[in-house]
Amino acid sequence: MKNLFVEDLRVIAAGLPSDPQEWPHIPCPTCKRSGLLVDSLAEEESPLSKSQQAGGFDWDPSYIHGKFHAVLKCPKSKCETVRLVGTTGHWETEKYGWDQYYEPLFFLPELPLIQDFGTCPLSVRDRIEAASAVLWVDPSSAANRLRAAVEELMNHHRVPRMGINKKNDEFRLSLASRIEQFSANRPDLSDVVDPLTAIRWLGNAGSHDAVLKVSDALDAVEILTHIIHRLYDTSGEMLIKKVEDVNARRGMPMSRSLDSPPF
């Protein structure tokens, strides 16, 4: 199943245009259906940016920068208000010449990353939500938290965390070893081993010297979405059951009580 949230977030990560009316679809973290709308927007140019405009060097609008704060609301009144904080900058466009853009750093509450978790364990969801909280300001940390979600998947599938060495001492198994054990235990799920490994690599990169971009962390989200749907999506089974039921009735409607409405 395609993760439409990831598509939205990739567009947001490219920078929000100066006109809020042109902002892309920002998924509501409460209902996960509607797009958030800008209720208010305030910005402030930094002191350094102001001083540079008076400087004697070869200045251009790319040196203009600052911070902004926006209040976003869902069209559905019961949904929670979202606050967005970030930085401003200027880029040169073919259409407008120099134009301002907004770069998000924090959404509070965080934006959703996956539409449907199926029967996925809560511990895995918690790690994914933790990744979303830091996605914009620290995508390397977000990738590492998604790697932690894979560790939780291994826990749920009862892959041991600890091993015993030749000295009979207990030691913590690496995620690579746990994925290998998972592959041996569940040959019927061999198709998710490479995706699990890909998230491990991205998480490892985020833990060390590599500075990942938001797009890299979203790659991990996209891969993890595939894994979760493969392991926990029951919609296919429900559809098969429905097909069997319709075939057994030869298409005839199910019997209703006299009190049931005709729809």
Side-chain angles (χ1 to χ4, degrees):
M1 182 182 294
K2 198 170 188 179
N3 188 331
L4 298 179
F5 287 165
V6 168
E7 291 189 359
D8 291 334
L9 300 182
R10 288 192 191 280
V11 177
I12 296 169
L16 301 171
S18 58
D19 184 358
Q21 297 296 324
E22 296 183 3
W23 283 16
H25 182 269
I26 302 177
C28 174
T30 305
C31 68
K32 297 186 178 181
R33 291 186 177 274
S34 299
L36 297 172
L37 303 175
V38 178
D39 184 66
S40 66
L41 175 64
E43 60 186 79
E44 181 180 4
E45 186 178 355
S46 73
L48 175 61
S49 176
K50 292 178 180 178
S51 66
Q52 286 176 331
Q53 294 186 48
F57 63 95
D58 188 16
W59 180 91
D60 63 50
S62 67
Y63 289 94
I64 302 175
H65 61 276
K67 298 178 182 179
F68 79 96
H69 168 263
V71 175
L72 311 177
K73 292 188 176 182
C74 179
K76 297 180 180 179
S77 59
K78 293 184 178 180
C79 290
E80 189 172 357
T81 297
V82 175
R83 284 168 173 78
L84 164 61
V85 176
T87 60
T88 65
H90 282 70
W91 53 22
E92 194 168 13
T93 66
E94 294 182 2
K95 185 176 181 180
Y96 300 110
W98 286 103
D99 194 23
Q100 180 171 274
Y101 68 89
Y102 300 98
E103 182 178 358
L105 290 179
F106 288 102
F107 287 90
L108 185 68
E110 64 272 6
L111 300 185
L113 297 181
I114 297 178
Q115 296 104 311
D116 183 11
F117 285 94
T119 59
C120 182
L122 183 59
S123 60
V124 177
R125 301 186 194 192
D126 288 344
R127 297 297 185 277
I128 295 172
E129 290 176 0
S132 180
V134 297
L135 173 66
W136 307 96
V137 69
D138 190 356
S140 293
S141 177
N144 190 253
R145 295 181 185 195
L146 294 169
R147 181 189 184 280
V150 172
E151 293 274 13
E152 291 297 335
L153 285 173
M154 296 298 97
N155 293 342
H156 187 247
H157 285 268
R158 299 183 179 181
V159 178
R161 297 183 185 182
M162 309 299 292
I164 303 295
N165 62 22
K166 294 180 180 179
K167 296 182 179 180
N168 207 35
D169 294 327
E170 195 175 48
F171 69 96
R172 187 180 183 88
L173 290 171
S174 67
L175 181 54
S177 297
R178 299 187 77 193
I179 292 174
E180 288 180 8
Q181 185 62 55
F182 171 82
S183 178
N185 294 348
R186 296 296 304 269
D188 57 315
L189 296 174
S190 60
D191 56 305
V192 301
V193 171
D194 283 346
L196 289 168
T197 301
I199 297 175
R200 178 177 69 84
W201 283 122
L202 285 167
N204 288 352
S207 298
H208 298 100
D209 295 334
V211 179
L212 300 182
K213 299 178 180 179
V214 173
S215 59
D216 298 315
L218 290 177
D219 286 343
V221 173
E222 200 164 7
I223 296 167
L224 188 54
T225 301
H226 165 74
I227 294 169
I228 288 174
H229 286 168
R230 176 69 176 87
L231 298 180
Y232 300 107
D233 183 15
T234 59
S235 60
E237 297 175 5
M238 294 172 63
L239 181 61
I240 291 173
K241 184 177 180 181
K242 184 173 292 186
V243 168
E244 292 174 346
D245 183 52
V246 171
N247 287 337
R249 292 185 279 108
R250 298 186 178 183
M252 296 297 293
M254 296 176 64
S255 60
R256 303 189 185 95
S257 68
L258 295 176
D259 296 329
S260 299
F263 48 79

